[in-house]
Each structure stands twice: as structure tokens, then as C-alpha cells.
Amino acid sequence: MKAVAIAALLLASSTASAANEIPRLVTDAGGNTRLMVDGKPFTVLGGELGNSNASHVAVAKPLFAKLAAMKLNTVLVPVSWELVEPTEGKYSFKLVGDLVREARRNKLRVVLLWFGSWKNGMSSYVPAWVKADPQRFPRAEVKNGRRVEALSAFAPANMQADARAFNELMRFVRTLDAYNHTVIMVQVENEVAMIDEAADRSAAAKAAFAGQVPNELLARFPGKKPGTWDQVFGPGPAAEEMFMAWHFAVYVEGVARLGKKAYALPMLTNAALNRPGKKPGEYPTGGPLPHLFDAWKAAAPSLDLLAPDIYYPDFVTWCERYARPGNPLFIPEAKNEADAPIHALYAFGRGALGFSPFAVESMAEAVAAALAKSYLLLAEMAPLITASGGKTAGVLIDKGEKTKTFRFGGVDLHVDHDYTFPWAAPARLDPTWPRAGGIIVEIGPGEFIVAGNGIIVTFGAPDALVGLERVDEGRVEAGKFVVTRRLNGDETHQGRHVRMPMGALGVQRVKVYTFK
């Protein structure tokens, strides 16, 4: 009995210790990264507030209640440098505290977005005392020596002022929240970039460009010899963009590193994506874009991940570019649109830590209701997703796209748009072909949970035939599948497929068998 009591005490102590750990990222032996909150995997079913709706708690308070009703578990909240340090060296975090406590009352976690030196490539959130003193806090310059409304990354005073304020913010968050863990991640800056030019043209930037490429970056390009930026990367915008990426990352590293000294929450920086076919200077340039990962990863090791703000149509492509070893997928901003509920399913099937539509409080009522259904389903499926050890797939499919195939063990799952099948009358009536998609989770050998909207799944194998042993329709409750009816006959096309008709989010559990 005494041994049992000691074991129980140790288990309780271990559980309490895990619960007291601050939020952190953990990567398992299979390369799957999880966000751990209170000692348990946490999935960010999020939404970002519109930029100005966190500027007063009276505005945010009713919005938090609305977001909780939409089944979000996390709200992404801007924190403005100009509001927390209106006078140099004098900090006011009352608003931040009020917002965090209000989120806590609504059982929402928080990702803080530090709008410091940059927001969308500009410096509109810096305090007035910074704006009014361009000699002390230099601006970036473009051709002909024209200053722009963006701080220069080549002025130590700019980074030092930002870093001091961010450090004070993180000290405050630690004091406020070290026990409750309402705040689970922090975004450092927002969409850092040069606008309208490939590089800063200030005297300090020109001098730096004439210098040698740092060895830490050069080491990531085997075969390239030491030299200046244009010698290593070739003359022109490509070299200028890599140069800006390095120096932006060095600046952000200085801010993030000082913040982590105060309170080491997971930290990220987000990117405004580059438009296809455009050159550096024709899109927000130098941010944490996929082709600039080497610069950002080498120069900013304090950042736990780089994240895409996805507003372009090719959602899958952008997810693929950011979901890579050493950089788990997290989507802090996604377009507030009708496809958001399907995008959420895809993202978590792809292994995302979190998904967050922008200005989620202004989402159309029908879309908000659909997102709530997706989030409720994902919350219930989270234990299954975690237990699968990465054996998941996200599905998105549009009109005209070919069958998408996913292999689990020796079984292939072939996914098509529901409208491609002959009986799909809506395909003839609805020329828009709404985007279809969902999530697939392998829960055992030859056994799957399939959830989605507008998809048909058929099964095959390289050297055998695959049949449906059973198909159950149902729901998921706390990681357990609850059967509501057994499907067969017309509902499975006489044992040929699993179908989620367009227009209704469905969940089915399917067990297959193989035969020669």
C-alpha cells in the first residue's frame, strides 16, 4: 500500500509539474511538432481580431464572447507599441492585462501579436516620440534619398528601443499569466518587409551591402565562395532581397531574444506572401518568405517558426512551402472567406499547429456557423489526430483537379470532388463548384476517420483489391467515434466508396479489407 501511495504521489507531482510548465513546442522522434499547454497537446482553433478592435477593452469584450460562441479556443490579439509606451521609458500594460483577463473569462487562449517596428511593412504602430525624431530613429530610404514611413533595419537605436519595449511586455505577461497560461504564443512584429523597393537605399544600408556575406548564411549555400552580396548572389534584386532578409532577421532576432529572456514563450514571425510572377520590390520584400528561409533561420534562431499569412487562392501550395522540417506549420492569418471552414480541416490534416482567419469577428454569419462546425469537430478529433502520430492527410480539391491520392500503409485513398460523379445534379446546377475538402486520420491498420464536405473517397492497393468491411456515419466525442448509423447500399454506392455530399460537413469511420 505504501508503494502504491508513493507511486500515486509521484504521478500527481509529475502531472502538476507538467501543468506548471509554460507553453512550449515539442518535437517527437517522428518529426511531428506539438504545442504543449499545461502539459497537454493544444490545437489552436483561432481567429485574429481586426487591427483596431484590440485598442480598447470595451470594444473587444463583446467580441471575445462572440468568438467563444463560434467555438474558437484562441484569439490572436494585436498589442500596439504606441499604446504600451506612449512616453519613452514609461510603460502602460493595463489594456493588455484587461484583454488577457477578458479572454480568460471566456475560456479563450491568446496569441499576442507585437505590432512594434513593422506592421505590413510600415511603421504606423511606433510611438509618437519615435515618429517625431527621424534623426535618432532613422527611416528606410528609397531611390533619390526619399525617406519612407518605415523604420530602417540598419539603425541600432530602432531595434534597441523596440526590444526594450518588447522585453517589458514579456515581463508583464510573465507576471500576469505565468500560472494561468492564457497567453500561449507571441508573434514578433507583423509582415516585416520593404515596400516598393527591393532594398533600403540609406547610407547605412549601402555600406552594409558592400560588406561580406556573413559566414552563417554562406554556410547554407555549399559551393558559394566568400564575397559581397552581389558577388555571392549575383547583381540585382535577388541579392538585394537576400541582403534585406538577413538584416530584417537580425533585427527581429534582437527583439525576440530580449523578449525571451523575460518570458520564453514560443515565438514566430509572419510573412506577407509574394505574388507569383512578381520580382523583389514588386511585392513586400525581404520578409520570412520560403525562398528566404536560409537567411531568416540563420539570423533569427530565437524564432520558433516562420508563418504564412495566406490570402492567395493556392492555399495548399503555401502550406506545403511552410510545413518543413524545423518549421511546423502555423497560419496566423487566413482570408476571411467562405472556404475558411474547409481550409481549417485541410490545415490540421496537414499537421498545422493552428489556423486563424483574419478579422474573424466580421465573418459572414453563414461562414461563421460553418467555421464553428469545423472547429467543434476538430476539437473533438484532436486526441485522435495526436494519437495518430502524424498519420493524417488534408484534402482540398477544386473543379477540374485530378484525383488526389494518399497512401496509408499499403492502402491508397483516392479523393475526388463530389460533383465529378454522374449522379451529382448540383454539378449541373451550380457552375461555381464550391471548394471541397476535409481531413483523413488513420486510427488503425486499414481503418480511418474521414471528415469533410463535398468529397468522394475510393480505396485501392498496388497489388490487391480493397473492399469496404464497414462504413459508419457518426460523430466524434472527446476522441471517440460514436456511431449514429451503419451505411451501405446507395450511401456507399454498393460498397464502392465513402461519400461526403457537398453542403453538409460529415464524419464517417471506414474499415477496409484487401483481397486478391
Side-chain angles (χ1 to χ4, degrees), residues 395-450:
V395 182
L396 279 182
I397 191 161
D398 290 308
K399 183 177 183 178
E401 287 195 277
K402 295 180 180 179
T403 300
K404 298 191 174 183
T405 299
F406 306 91
R407 174 162 291 181
F408 292 87
V411 178
D412 292 332
L413 280 68
H414 307 293
V415 186
D416 290 282
H417 198 293
D418 184 36
Y419 284 9
T420 61
F421 281 72
W423 61 78
R428 297 186 292 274
L429 301 175
D430 183 0
T432 64
W433 277 55
R435 177 168 286 179
I439 179 172
I440 299 167
V441 182
E442 184 182 38
I443 59 174
E447 190 167 8
F448 309 90
I449 300 290
V450 181

Side-chain angles (χ1 to χ4, degrees), residues 213-222 224 229 232-233 238 241-250 253 286-301 303 306 321-322 324-327:
V213 172
N215 289 333
E216 302 95 318
L217 179 58
L218 195 65
R220 291 175 174 253
F221 294 91
K224 287 189 178 293
W229 291 89
V232 173
F233 296 106
E241 183 174 35
M242 187 66 74
F243 163 75
M244 287 304 302
W246 174 264
H247 286 281
F248 278 140
V250 167
E253 168 64 15
L289 296 165
H291 63 287
L292 302 173
F293 262 46
D294 286 311
W296 276 87
K297 287 293 185 178
L303 295 177
L306 308 175
R321 290 175 179 173
Y322 279 85
R324 57 175 75 184
N327 196 76

Side-chain angles (χ1 to χ4, degrees), residues 472-488:
D472 293 316
E473 186 179 65
R475 63 183 183 274
V476 182
E477 294 181 357
K480 303 292 185 182
F481 187 85
V482 178
V483 178
T484 55
R485 62 173 178 160
R486 174 63 53 86
L487 300 183
N488 211 321

Side-chain angles (χ1 to χ4, degrees), residues 261 346 367 456:
K261 284 184 178 180
Y346 172 83
V367 180
I456 299 276

